[in-house]
Amino acid sequence: MSVARAQREKGNVLVLFDVDGTLTPARKSISDAMRTTLAKLREKVVIGTVGGSDMDKQMEQLGSDVLTNFDYCFAENGLVAYKNGELIAKQSLSAHLGDDVLKRLINFMLGYMAKIDTIPVKRGTFIEFRNGMLNVSPVGRNCSQEERDEFEKFDMEHNIRRDFVSALKKEFHDVDLTYSIGGQISFDVFPNGWDKTYALRHVEAEGFDEVHFFGDKTHEGGNDYEIYNDPRTIAHHVDSPEDTIRILAELFLS
C-alpha cells in the first residue's frame, strides 16, 4: 500500500519512532508485543522509524522485513530515507565536509581515545564511518552486551562521552558540527542540521495533519532532542519500549 493511499484510508496522521530504547531495548531485538502493537497501529495511521544507526542495524533490531512493516524508514537521522520500501534519498558526509576536515576529525578522535585510560576495557571499531555521520565509541562497538552495559554505567558516573564531546567542540569550533549522545556506548558527529529533524523534510510535502514522534533520548545533547522539540512534531518522551506500547494504547488503540 502506498503512503498516499494509506493516508486516505487511515487518516492523515504519521507516527515516527526512535529505535533504541523506544521500539527495542538498546541494540536488542523487537519484542512480539511491540510487533503486535505496531501492526495494529498501522491499521489506523502511517508509521515510520527515525534511527541514528544505519539501515543494517535497523534490520538487525526490527527484523529483515522492516521496510515492509513501516511506511517510512529513516536511517542515520533520515540521511538515508526509504518510502514504501524504496530508497528515496541518501546524503554523503564525505562530500559535504571534504576529506581534509574528515582526516583532521578522525586523527583527533583516535588520539583522544588513545589517552583515555580509565575505561575498564577497550574493544574494536572505535569510529564507524556512515553515510551521513561519524559514530564514535570510546569502548569500541565490538564490545559484548555485558561490556556495553558496564560502560553505560561507568559513563554515567565518569562522563566519558560528555567530556569527549566538550573536547571536540573546543578543538573544532571552526567547523559547523553537531554532537549527539545516544544509545549506551557512543555518540554521533554530523553537520549542523543533520540531526533527526532532517527526516522531516522527506514528509513535509505529504501534508500530514499531525506528525507524532516517540523517543527516549530527549534531553539536551541526546539524539532525540531536536526532533522532540521541533514545532512540527507532537512529541512523546518514553523511558522504555513498554512505555511506548502503553502510550500508543492510550492515544491510538483504545
Side-chain angles (χ1 to χ4, degrees), residues 8-249:
R8 291 195 300 270
E9 295 186 1
K10 304 175 187 178
N12 210 22
V13 175
L14 170 64
V15 182
L16 297 172
F17 299 93
D18 166 56
V19 180
D20 274 357
T22 302
L23 292 180
T24 77
R27 293 298 298 126
K28 295 183 180 178
S29 298
I30 189 170
S31 68
D32 290 339
M34 181 63 79
R35 278 185 174 274
T36 299
T37 298
L38 291 174
K40 291 178 180 178
L41 180 67
R42 198 180 182 197
E43 294 175 359
K44 297 177 178 292
V45 301
V46 179
I47 65 173
T49 63
V50 187
S53 296
D54 59 31
M55 202 63 233
D56 287 342
K57 290 184 176 63
Q58 283 200 32
M59 289 182 176
E60 287 175 14
Q61 292 177 250
L62 301 177
S64 59
D65 53 356
V66 61
L67 290 175
T68 57
N69 288 339
F70 291 84
D71 301 293
Y72 291 97
C73 288
F74 299 123
E76 303 182 43
N77 293 351
L79 299 169
V80 179
Y82 289 84
K83 175 182 176 181
N84 295 328
E86 299 293 330
L87 181 68
I88 60 170
K90 188 174 182 179
Q91 185 58 272
S92 168
L93 178 68
S94 57
H96 183 83
L97 289 181
D99 283 329
D100 288 344
V101 172
L102 279 174
K103 284 191 293 184
R104 182 178 157 209
L105 261 173
I106 291 170
N107 286 342
F108 180 86
M109 290 172 178
L110 291 173
Y112 185 96
M113 285 186 282
K115 297 174 184 176
I116 303 176
D117 294 326
T118 56
I119 299 175
V121 299
K122 288 187 179 181
R123 298 298 182 244
T125 312
F126 299 99
I127 300 175
E128 186 173 84
F129 189 94
R130 299 175 181 171
N131 289 298
M133 68 180 70
L134 296 175
N135 178 264
V136 185
S137 175
V139 67
R141 296 197 62 88
N142 292 348
C143 62
S144 67
Q145 185 60 54
E146 181 180 358
E147 291 163 343
R148 179 182 290 264
D149 295 339
E150 289 175 355
F151 175 80
E152 183 180 30
K153 293 177 183 177
F154 186 85
D155 186 48
M156 290 177 66
E157 181 179 353
H158 297 280
N159 297 309
I160 299 298
R161 289 183 290 176
R162 189 193 67 183
D163 292 346
F164 197 165
V165 166
S166 295
L168 283 163
K169 287 180 177 179
K170 181 178 179 180
E171 180 70 19
F172 294 92
H173 60 88
D174 58 322
V175 184
D176 292 330
L177 294 172
T178 295
Y179 306 89
S180 183
I181 297 173
Q184 293 180 289
I185 63 169
S186 64
F187 62 89
D188 297 326
V189 182
F190 46 84
N192 290 344
W194 287 21
D195 52 65
K196 287 186 178 180
T197 60
Y198 195 97
L200 298 177
R201 68 183 63 189
H202 301 303
V203 300
E204 283 181 316
E206 301 290 349
F208 289 103
D209 292 330
E210 295 180 358
V211 178
H212 292 254
F213 173 77
F214 286 73
D216 66 318
K217 295 292 190 300
T218 59
H219 57 279
E220 188 169 5
N223 65 354
D224 297 324
Y225 176 79
E226 289 84 5
I227 191 171
Y228 180 81
N229 289 281
D230 193 287
R232 293 171 291 180
T233 66
I234 300 170
H236 310 274
H237 172 83
V238 300
D239 294 313
S240 67
E242 291 75 23
D243 211 16
T244 301
I245 291 173
R246 177 184 60 80
I247 297 173
L248 287 174

